mmCIF file of all heavy atoms in Angstrom:
data_model
loop_
_atom_site.group_PDB
_atom_site.id
_atom_site.type_symbol
_atom_site.label_atom_id
_atom_site.label_comp_id
_atom_site.label_asym_id
_atom_site.label_seq_id
_atom_site.Cartn_x
_atom_site.Cartn_y
_atom_site.Cartn_z
ATOM 1 N N LEU A 69 -10.694 13.845 -25.717
ATOM 2 C CA LEU A 69 -9.303 14.273 -25.527
ATOM 3 C C LEU A 69 -9.162 15.031 -24.212
ATOM 4 O O LEU A 69 -10.082 15.759 -23.805
ATOM 5 C CB LEU A 69 -8.862 15.206 -26.661
ATOM 6 C CG LEU A 69 -8.804 14.629 -28.072
ATOM 7 C CD1 LEU A 69 -8.550 15.753 -29.082
ATOM 8 C CD2 LEU A 69 -7.711 13.568 -28.184
ATOM 9 N N VAL A 84 3.932 15.963 -13.732
ATOM 10 C CA VAL A 84 2.846 15.669 -14.685
ATOM 11 C C VAL A 84 2.845 14.183 -15.080
ATOM 12 O O VAL A 84 1.797 13.531 -15.041
ATOM 13 C CB VAL A 84 2.955 16.581 -15.929
ATOM 14 C CG1 VAL A 84 1.990 16.135 -17.019
ATOM 15 C CG2 VAL A 84 2.682 18.034 -15.544
ATOM 16 N N LEU A 142 17.108 15.536 -14.111
ATOM 17 C CA LEU A 142 16.018 14.625 -13.710
ATOM 18 C C LEU A 142 16.437 13.153 -13.717
ATOM 19 O O LEU A 142 16.085 12.386 -12.813
ATOM 20 C CB LEU A 142 14.800 14.847 -14.626
ATOM 21 C CG LEU A 142 13.505 14.147 -14.234
ATOM 22 C CD1 LEU A 142 13.035 14.557 -12.846
ATOM 23 C CD2 LEU A 142 12.405 14.446 -15.261
ATOM 24 N N TYR A 146 16.461 8.460 -11.671
ATOM 25 C CA TYR A 146 15.716 7.303 -12.181
ATOM 26 C C TYR A 146 16.665 6.406 -12.979
ATOM 27 O O TYR A 146 17.577 6.905 -13.645
ATOM 28 C CB TYR A 146 14.580 7.759 -13.111
ATOM 29 C CG TYR A 146 13.480 8.542 -12.431
ATOM 30 C CD1 TYR A 146 13.441 9.932 -12.517
ATOM 31 C CD2 TYR A 146 12.460 7.899 -11.733
ATOM 32 C CE1 TYR A 146 12.413 10.657 -11.915
ATOM 33 C CE2 TYR A 146 11.427 8.618 -11.132
ATOM 34 C CZ TYR A 146 11.415 9.993 -11.222
ATOM 35 O OH TYR A 146 10.403 10.702 -10.634
ATOM 36 N N LEU A 188 6.121 16.342 -41.091
ATOM 37 C CA LEU A 188 6.936 17.329 -40.358
ATOM 38 C C LEU A 188 8.430 17.059 -40.504
ATOM 39 O O LEU A 188 8.841 15.959 -40.875
ATOM 40 C CB LEU A 188 6.587 17.296 -38.862
ATOM 41 C CG LEU A 188 5.127 17.504 -38.476
ATOM 42 C CD1 LEU A 188 5.004 17.682 -36.968
ATOM 43 C CD2 LEU A 188 4.535 18.709 -39.192
ATOM 44 N N ALA A 260 6.827 23.864 -32.405
ATOM 45 C CA ALA A 260 6.616 25.006 -33.304
ATOM 46 C C ALA A 260 7.868 25.869 -33.183
ATOM 47 O O ALA A 260 8.163 26.404 -32.103
ATOM 48 C CB ALA A 260 5.386 25.784 -32.862
ATOM 49 N N ALA A 263 11.955 30.597 -32.856
ATOM 50 C CA ALA A 263 13.215 31.361 -32.853
ATOM 51 C C ALA A 263 14.235 30.590 -33.676
ATOM 52 O O ALA A 263 14.151 29.362 -33.765
ATOM 53 C CB ALA A 263 13.729 31.531 -31.425
ATOM 54 N N VAL A 278 1.934 28.259 -33.689
ATOM 55 C CA VAL A 278 1.390 27.306 -32.712
ATOM 56 C C VAL A 278 -0.008 26.865 -33.144
ATOM 57 O O VAL A 278 -0.347 25.670 -33.073
ATOM 58 C CB VAL A 278 1.386 27.924 -31.291
ATOM 59 C CG1 VAL A 278 0.665 27.017 -30.309
ATOM 60 C CG2 VAL A 278 2.807 28.184 -30.821
#
Side-chain angles (χ1 to χ4, degrees):
L69 296 172
V84 170
L142 189 59
Y146 294 100
L188 304 190
V278 173

